[in-house]
Amino acid sequence: MQVPAPFDYVRATSVGNTLELLERHGPESRVVAGGHSLLPMMKLRLARPEWLIDINDVAELRHITEEPDRLRVGSLTRHAALLASDVVGRLFPIVHDAEKVIADPVVRNRGTIGGSLGQADPAEDLTTVCDVLRASVVIAGPGGERVVDMAEFHRGPYETACEQHELITEVRFPIRPRMGSAYEKVERRVGDWAVGAAGAAVQMADDGTIADAAIGLTALGLEGLATEVAAVLVGQRPSEDLITEAGRLAAAASSPVEDQRGPVDYKRHLADELTRRVLRRALDRVGATVPAA
Amino acid sequence: MQVTMTVNGTEVTRDVEPRLLLVHFLRDTLRLTGTHWGCDTSNCGTCVVLVDGEPVKSCTALAAMTDGHDVRTVEGMARNGTLDPVQQGFMEEHGLQCGFCTPGMMLTARALLDRNPDPDEGEIREAISGQICRCTGYATIVRSVQWAAAHPAAATTEQEVTT
Ligand SMILES: Cc1cc2nc3c(=O)[nH]c(=O)nc-3n(C[C@H](O)[C@H](O)[C@H](O)COP(=O)(O)OP(=O)(O)OC[C@H]3O[C@@H](n4cnc5c(N)ncnc54)[C@H](O)[C@@H]3O)c2cc1C
Ligand code: FES
Ligand code: FES
């Protein structure tokens, strides 16, 4: 039987109150959102906070707001709410691609976007999604609010720019015209973490060339975007040869490690294959269907 | 600390340690052992209960986090001696063998039907995809939920069922 080490529990009522509680209870206090990463770690005693600050009642963290040039998503937004949102699906189909395969429907009722980014598990899916959508993260702290881009936010496995006494309040996704996006993951069974996954976002120019491209990989040993892949895509017209080259470069940029989910060769093959698939689908979604070779 | 919540329509207040998991609060503190406890790692789904109408894995929730909320367990499915159509469907269509996964399966099915009274097979399989059954191969579980969908007002008293 797995039992967390003893701790004290308090419910926060607002963002300001959360920050006060974090300050009052000091370095051994942690916020809990869905609890679906933190509680399992506490049960295994890999995490032993002395104070747990429950943010589930903080209503101002739960919103999906469309503005002309960006979508604002509150950090306490559940996976299930992202998946149920028509606005999210219309603007960023990649989020729905990913949410369909994050954990299972029951876990998705609890887990949140803020908790996912905050946990920064190397196999966590939304970090890649936020990377390729060029999202930014709003962090509230004692000195006020700051907005950081994903490159600055995500420092590596289990490490982010959000300090212990700070709170992720919102994730912002820029809305860009003529943009397509897609995500695909290979998992051993429903609810499992990725063996490997890839995400792509492309923006088309008026003349039918690719104006901007972003490719990211999950669980395949690449932090941040695959810039080499974007470099060959931008300025080009979509073609089969271009997609083949992008897959090859993504595999080269990956550095997977062997584990119980698969050997290195197989994972590198996934980086190639999944990159080609998501790129093709992202282009298709923006109406830039690749002519058959 | 003290927690107060509604469990199967009745308000309960208890003193608990903040670290007490909801599954143990239900099984050990309230002695509602219909909620099963399996993997302890949020994978099997046998511990699923409804919190404010939504399926939640109770091995991965604190009783403290459920303070002030509405909880429904398998013991709360039958109403006034009448089985829930989902329970009746599991009987009619042989939706269980050993019964270990059954409480979680039935509550998830109940929540699905509340949201979507006429799900297709794919939607049923998706809804229960976070829950593991080692006996049935799932086919009879799917049929049980379909039976419940087809008989939304099934009203068999427990008396009739047992005779
Ligand atoms: C069985 C299972 C399978 C899963 N499969 C997948 C999967 O395939 N893909 C995937 O991506 N994820 C998966 N997950 C993880 C799931 O998505 C979690 O819900 C998510 O990682 C954490 O979200 P949470 O709200 O539960 O965070 P919590 O567990 O509450 O918190 C996680 C961490 O983030 C911090 N935190 C939470 N909110 C904030 C905030 N607003 N500001 C600052 N810090 C914060 C906490 O202090 C903690 O350190 C799985 C989880 C389970 C249990
Ligand atoms: S005991 Fe909770 S999911 Fe298995
Ligand atoms: S009936 Fe035995 S595990 Fe489902």
Side-chain angles (χ1 to χ4, degrees):
Chain A
M1 176 163 154
Q2 298 178 9
V3 182
F7 56 85
D8 283 308
Y9 170 91
V10 59
R11 267 194 206 182
T13 53
S14 65
V15 170
N17 178 236
T18 308
L19 296 173
E20 274 164 32
L21 290 166
L22 281 165
E23 180 157 349
R24 187 180 319 154
H25 298 304
E28 298 308 321
S29 61
R30 284 279 270 281
V31 299
V32 63
H36 272 56
S37 289
L38 185 53
L39 292 177
M41 293 202 6
M42 289 168 61
K43 289 169 74 174
L44 294 168
R45 309 266 173 131
L46 294 171
R48 312 175 68 118
E50 288 169 12
W51 278 89
L52 213 51
I53 300 167
D54 184 347
I55 59 172
N56 281 280
D57 287 350
V58 182
E60 64 195 288
L61 294 177
R62 198 176 303 165
H63 56 266
I64 298 178
T65 312
E66 183 181 4
E67 293 178 352
D69 59 349
R70 64 183 181 182
L71 183 77
R72 294 169 37 220
V73 176
S75 60
L76 196 59
T77 306
R78 313 262 177 215
H79 293 302
L82 284 169
L83 191 51
S85 162
D86 293 337
V87 175
V88 170
R90 168 168 53 77
L91 293 172
F92 307 113
I94 183 175
V95 178
H96 278 192
D97 289 348
E99 284 295 357
K100 280 181 199 148
V101 291
I102 290 177
D104 62 61
V106 180
V107 170
R108 292 199 293 264
N109 282 338
R110 296 299 297 165
T112 66
I113 185 169
S116 295
L117 298 185
Q119 180 70 20
D121 189 290
E124 185 271 311
D125 295 286
L126 288 181
T127 295
T128 303
V129 169
C130 290
D131 274 340
V132 303
L133 292 178
R134 303 193 191 284
S136 50
V137 181
V138 184
I139 301 173
E145 216 177 69
R146 62 202 169 101
V147 183
V148 298
D149 64 21
M150 281 301 291
E152 192 183 335
F153 176 79
H154 186 84
R155 300 217 166 129
Y158 309 107
E159 226 185 298
T160 75
C162 182
E163 305 285 342
Q164 181 278 329
H165 60 282
E166 296 181 312
L167 183 71
I168 302 166
T169 55
E170 193 171 273
V171 185
R172 292 179 180 163
F173 298 94
I175 299 174
R176 296 180 288 158
R178 285 186 296 284
M179 199 186 87
S181 62
Y183 191 78
E184 189 165 330
K185 161 175 161 178
V186 168
E187 57 185 358
R188 296 177 303 178
R189 57 178 165 76
V190 170
D192 197 18
W193 299 84
V195 178
V202 289
Q203 191 179 12
M204 302 304 291
D206 287 338
D207 65 359
T209 59
I210 298 171
D212 185 35
I215 306 289
L217 302 173
T218 305
L220 293 171
L222 174 79
E223 292 293 341
L225 295 171
T227 44
E228 309 86 330
V229 183
V232 299
L233 293 169
V234 170
Q236 304 296 314
R237 250 166 237 289
S239 71
E240 274 305 324
D241 284 350
L242 194 63
I243 288 179
T244 305
E245 180 63 0
R248 193 185 67 76
L249 289 172
S254 72
S255 56
V257 290
E258 174 165 349
D259 60 14
Q260 80 274 21
R261 288 188 175 80
V264 168
D265 287 358
Y266 174 59
K267 292 187 180 184
R268 194 161 276 135
H269 162 75
L270 285 182
D272 178 359
E273 175 67 31
L274 294 178
T275 295
R276 285 186 281 127
R277 286 189 200 172
V278 290
L279 195 50
R280 198 175 280 117
R281 195 170 337 128
L283 287 164
D284 202 43
R285 282 174 171 165
V286 69
T289 307
V290 180
Chain B
M1 65 178 289
Q2 204 174 59
V3 295
T4 299
M5 65 187 86
T6 307
V7 178
N8 299 328
T10 306
E11 192 175 280
V12 297
T13 299
R14 294 286 189 282
D15 272 318
V16 300
E17 266 193 280
R19 63 174 170 166
L20 184 67
L21 296 164
L22 180 59
V23 66
H24 302 308
F25 177 74
L26 295 169
R27 288 178 55 86
D28 303 339
T29 309
L30 301 184
R31 308 301 295 168
L32 291 172
T33 53
T35 300
H36 289 168
W37 173 53
C39 67
D40 212 4
T41 58
S42 7
N43 282 291
C44 75
T46 194
C47 65
V48 165
V49 299
L50 302 187
V51 177
D52 302 330
E54 280 190 349
V56 168
K57 293 180 177 176
S58 63
C59 69
T60 313
L62 298 171
M65 292 174 84
T66 322
D67 183 33
H69 292 270
D70 181 83
V71 178
R72 194 163 166 206
T73 70
V74 67
E75 288 91 344
M77 288 191 83
R79 302 235 157 136
N80 306 322
T82 303
L83 290 183
D84 188 282
V86 170
Q87 293 175 300
Q88 210 183 326
F90 271 68
M91 289 175 52
E92 298 289 340
E93 296 293 339
H94 206 70
L96 63 146
Q97 290 177 29
C98 78
F100 192 70
C101 69
T102 314
M105 289 288 182
M106 293 199 305
L107 287 161
T108 299
R110 179 70 271 153
L112 170 67
L113 294 176
D114 287 346
R115 184 161 42 82
N116 174 3
D118 189 22
D120 62 30
E121 176 172 348
E123 289 167 333
I124 296 171
R125 286 187 180 271
E126 163 70 12
I128 61 170
S129 62
Q131 287 158 258
I132 293 169
C133 176
R134 284 295 183 236
C135 302
T136 63
Y138 304 98
T140 58
I141 295 179
V142 172
R143 283 206 290 275
S144 303
V145 182
Q146 286 169 328
W147 190 98
H151 301 81
T156 309
T157 63
E158 278 178 289
Q159 187 79 44
E160 280 166 358
V161 168
T162 46
T163 49

